[in-house]
Amino acid sequence: MNVNGTNYDTIYFSGSQSDGYGDNSHLYVVTPSTDFDFRNGRGNGSFLLKRVSTLAWSSITRPIVSSDGLSVWLGGTAATLEGWVNIGEFLFSTDLQSAPIKPSWSATIQQNEKDPSQPLLSSGALSSDGRFLYITGASNSFYCLNARSGRIKWEHDEASHQTAFIA
């Protein structure tokens, strides 16, 4: 993320106590509190670990992060996908007691017919301009969603019923 002309690394990760089928995961962010360089572990400051959100579902995929580090998307149980868009105010707050925030949007994409609770197995990818998310459903479709709103722009049904991973 860029703050007043200085670039800082922002690291997001999710934590779940199950195999992706359970409940209650958390989305976390690690940001520098001052001048700290994550790449070489040096600097004059430290870093902050903050819980962005508590989820009512589990996630076994890595978060998708915008190039500026201010937006993040995460998929989980029952083909749920959520997005936190432009959360800079939360990220820049040094209040460690600040309440986790709700996602900007939530969507359920195609569920697996045999097992509706199956989690999304692919993290998906963000378009180069940051406007669209590309992700496979829990069954056999490939989606393009508006990254800001979560609305499905298009869907392609892949008849092979194979799990696909996006890079």
Side-chain angles (χ1 to χ4, degrees), residues 1-164:
M1 89 182 122
N2 187 298
V3 180
N4 299 325
T6 302
N7 287 319
Y8 294 99
D9 288 329
T10 304
I11 302 167
Y12 288 91
F13 65 95
S14 61
S16 177
Q17 296 181 356
S18 71
D19 58 2
Y21 286 86
D23 294 331
N24 299 325
S25 289
H26 301 284
L27 177 63
Y28 298 95
V29 65
V30 181
T31 59
S33 61
T34 53
D35 184 24
F36 187 84
D37 184 352
F38 284 118
R39 293 179 199 135
N40 62 31
R42 288 187 232 140
N44 297 325
S46 60
F47 55 90
L48 299 173
L49 170 65
K50 294 174 74 172
R51 185 174 48 182
V52 176
S53 196
T54 299
L55 314 170
W57 41 267
S58 289
S59 177
I60 56 173
T61 62
R62 66 176 175 75
I64 306 164
V65 182
S66 63
S67 61
D68 63 6
L70 299 178
S71 298
V72 61
W73 301 268
L74 186 63
T77 305
T80 302
L81 181 65
E82 293 185 337
W84 293 261
V85 181
N86 293 324
I87 59 172
E89 184 176 320
F90 174 82
L91 294 178
F92 300 135
S93 167
T94 57
D95 178 9
L96 294 176
Q97 303 304 316
S98 60
I101 56 176
K102 293 182 179 178
S104 305
W105 58 262
S106 182
T108 299
I109 57 177
Q110 184 186 40
Q111 294 178 319
N112 183 314
E113 294 171 9
K114 295 178 183 175
D115 183 2
S117 66
Q118 179 181 327
L120 293 175
L121 301 175
S122 172
S123 293
L126 189 62
S127 64
S128 60
D129 63 6
R131 296 176 50 212
F132 302 102
L133 286 171
Y134 302 100
I135 194 161
T136 56
S139 190
N140 63 338
S141 290
F142 181 64
Y143 293 87
C144 174
L145 290 88
N146 179 304
R148 292 187 64 78
S149 69
R151 282 182 279 227
I152 296 172
K153 183 166 177 64
W154 53 258
E155 171 186 354
H156 176 72
D157 186 24
E158 178 57 49
S160 68
H161 295 278
Q162 294 180 349
T163 300

